[in-house]
Amino acid sequence: MPRLTKSLLLFLLVPALLMTAACSVSLDRDPPVRTTYLMEAKRPALPVHEPVGGSLVMGTVRVAPEFATRGLIYRMDDTRYVSDFHHDWFAPVRDQVYSTTREWLHDARVFHTLLPPSLAREADYRLDILVNTIHGDLRDEQSPAAVLELQAYLSSRGQEGERRILLASTLQSRQPLSEATPAQVAAGLSRGLADILTRLESELTQALP
């Protein structure tokens, strides 16, 4: 079974050891500090499109239950994942993917208008996202990576209210990490989201009539 990398082992074990020591000496000591990370994926200053679609509303962003925790998740072997209680996301993954995707599409101007959820029935198109996996892959300590995979569904509104799927795409990004630390995993997942949104932007443009 692959063993924990030394750097990550320290991140996971030291806070627990410190807590044990604090309890044995004094109950007045401060608990271990938790570190939070923001998922950042800002669209670079690339040329924007002439809008080819009408109005879009962001639908739901769902996250597979095993990855819906706020803590960073590491894959240790083929079947075992662990969640890091002391290093977590600033906001739930679904909220960060939702807001980042919406801001990216606003900057890209693929659609003429991005409508709020309250006007969903008026939108010409709807984009729904499912996050299949979001984790640090530490199975090989010589080549750790941040892995993100999501499915995107673009649908259009028909004349009688029915919706027609225009795009169903599975997009995965694997970002190499210089070392297996929580900060590197979080940064790698941010790069992975930017990579995926770059490709999603292109696919949306091609899928629109």
Side-chain angles (χ1 to χ4, degrees):
M1 179 180 295
R3 56 190 178 88
L4 287 168
T5 60
K6 293 180 180 178
S7 54
L8 182 62
L9 185 62
L10 290 175
F11 275 105
L12 292 176
L13 294 183
V14 168
L17 294 174
L18 289 176
M19 181 177 291
T20 301
C23 292
S24 64
V25 177
S26 171
L27 296 178
D28 296 329
R29 292 192 177 184
D30 294 331
V33 176
R34 296 180 67 177
T35 304
T36 58
Y37 301 95
L38 184 65
M39 195 179 300
E40 300 178 291
K42 183 72 174 177
R43 186 179 187 271
L46 300 173
V48 297
H49 306 273
E50 282 296 326
V52 292
S55 56
L56 173 76
V57 65
M58 285 288 299
T60 59
V61 172
R62 293 179 294 131
V63 182
E66 57 269 37
F67 299 103
T69 176
R70 289 279 287 269
L72 298 181
I73 295 178
Y74 314 119
R75 184 175 188 179
M76 309 312 301
D77 55 41
D78 289 344
T79 60
R80 186 165 58 98
Y81 295 80
V82 296
S83 180
D84 189 343
F85 177 79
H86 298 289
H87 299 86
D88 55 14
W89 294 112
F90 177 77
V93 169
R94 67 175 186 275
D95 295 344
Q96 296 199 82
V97 172
Y98 180 99
S99 59
T100 301
T101 302
R102 194 178 193 283
E103 182 179 355
W104 186 289
L105 294 178
H106 174 270
D107 293 344
R109 292 190 358 197
V110 176
F111 300 89
H112 285 281
T113 309
L114 292 182
L115 296 179
S118 59
L119 297 178
R121 292 188 177 183
E122 308 299 322
D124 298 310
Y125 303 97
R126 170 174 167 149
L127 181 65
D128 293 282
I129 292 175
L130 170 62
V131 179
N132 290 329
T133 187
I134 175 168
H135 68 271
D137 187 350
L138 309 182
R139 289 175 294 177
D140 181 355
E141 68 177 84
Q142 300 302 319
S143 57
V147 179
L148 175 63
E149 179 184 284
L150 60 79
Q151 293 173 266
Y153 300 92
L154 178 71
S155 60
S156 64
R157 178 167 54 91
Q159 294 182 349
E160 298 182 1
E162 78 281 1
R163 304 206 68 85
R164 182 167 63 95
I165 299 295
L166 300 178
L167 174 68
S169 180
T170 300
L171 300 157
Q172 185 184 84
S173 180
R174 184 180 181 86
Q175 299 291 319
L177 305 178
S178 59
E179 56 182 340
T181 64
Q184 283 288 315
V185 170
L189 290 171
S190 290
R191 294 195 304 273
L193 182 57
D195 174 39
I196 285 176
L197 291 179
T198 298
R199 287 181 278 147
L200 178 60
E201 176 185 327
S202 176
E203 292 190 10
L204 290 173
T205 303
Q206 296 175 27
L208 291 169

